[in-house]
Amino acid sequence: MCSIRFGLNRYFKSVFNNDIIKDKEFEEANSVYEAQCVYLKKRGLAKTEHKPPIADEDIKKLYESGVFNTDSPATLQNKVFFEIMFFFCCRGRNLRELKRDDFAIKTNPQGQRCVVKKTDELTKNHRVHDAQAEEGGMMVANDSPYCPVTVYSFEKYLTHLNPLN
């Protein structure tokens, strides 16, 4: 239903210059659409089948293979991009659009440093207001060379970025 709706919106924008998702004239239709989506979810008809997560053994192979070496700019970028996709469920398509201001380094209640995403973007699976999308992911620091947060990767990567970009 989402795909059809966005396809129709794209068509109406290009031909009639109407946005059926944002224009006031379509508020009632959008309310009915969202209510129908909720109804379908309650009936169990909105279930998606997810692919199995990456196995711990496979992640270990990636880290031990050298493709995430933090001493080379290319492999450091590989590591940071993979971890952003892994922890924040980005599909890789919007990585180029991310900016350092999209993230914050904070301390969680357990006293661990962590990277959180401050902004939310429109994605294939998050098109309308979705409380689940707001929860986001989090990269939590640990004391290993595989740490996604500290001087081993994310913070190190930030120090190498051009401050003007």
Side-chain angles (χ1 to χ4, degrees):
M1 283 179 51
C2 289
S3 297
I4 293 169
R5 181 177 184 225
F6 284 102
L8 287 171
N9 189 44
R10 194 174 22 231
Y11 174 78
F12 284 120
K13 274 183 174 177
S14 67
V15 175
F16 303 109
N17 202 25
N18 286 339
D19 188 329
I20 66 171
I21 294 173
K22 294 181 182 174
D23 288 352
K24 280 212 177 269
E25 298 87 32
F26 298 96
E27 279 182 357
E28 186 177 346
N30 286 318
S31 294
V32 171
Y33 168 78
E34 289 180 17
Q36 188 65 24
C37 288
V38 169
Y39 171 74
L40 290 171
K41 278 186 180 183
K42 284 181 181 177
R43 291 190 54 209
L45 299 173
K47 185 178 180 189
T48 58
E49 290 188 32
H50 296 281
K51 299 205 179 335
I54 300 173
D56 290 340
E57 301 83 39
D58 292 333
I59 291 176
K60 186 177 178 184
K61 286 178 191 176
L62 282 171
Y63 281 96
E64 291 175 350
S65 71
V67 296
F68 293 158
N69 183 336
T70 58
D71 295 329
S72 156
T75 54
L76 173 63
Q77 187 172 42
N78 287 343
K79 182 178 189 303
V80 172
F81 281 15
F82 170 78
E83 290 166 344
I84 287 172
M85 289 185 292
F86 185 74
F87 288 101
F88 298 109
C89 300
C90 296
R91 295 169 182 257
R93 304 184 109 192
N94 359 6
L95 285 175
R96 291 182 180 161
E97 297 166 14
L98 292 174
K99 297 175 179 40
R100 71 174 69 223
D101 294 341
D102 292 333
F103 300 93
I105 298 175
K106 298 183 176 187
T107 303
N108 69 12
Q110 292 78 29
Q112 299 166 299
R113 295 183 61 167
C114 55
V115 176
V116 294
K117 197 145 177 274
K118 296 190 310 188
T119 58
D120 188 24
E121 74 270 350
L122 196 63
T123 65
K124 177 181 171 186
N125 294 332
H126 299 289
R127 290 287 185 184
V128 294
H129 177 71
D130 186 358
Q132 195 176 16
E134 290 177 3
E135 293 172 11
M138 178 183 299
M139 291 193 292
V140 180
N142 58 49
D143 292 327
S144 81
Y146 306 145
C147 178
V149 179
T150 60
V151 293
Y152 293 117
S153 65
F154 190 81
E155 289 178 330
K156 183 176 184 177
Y157 181 73
L158 289 181
T159 64
H160 292 291
L161 292 178
N162 184 336
L164 301 176
N165 290 341

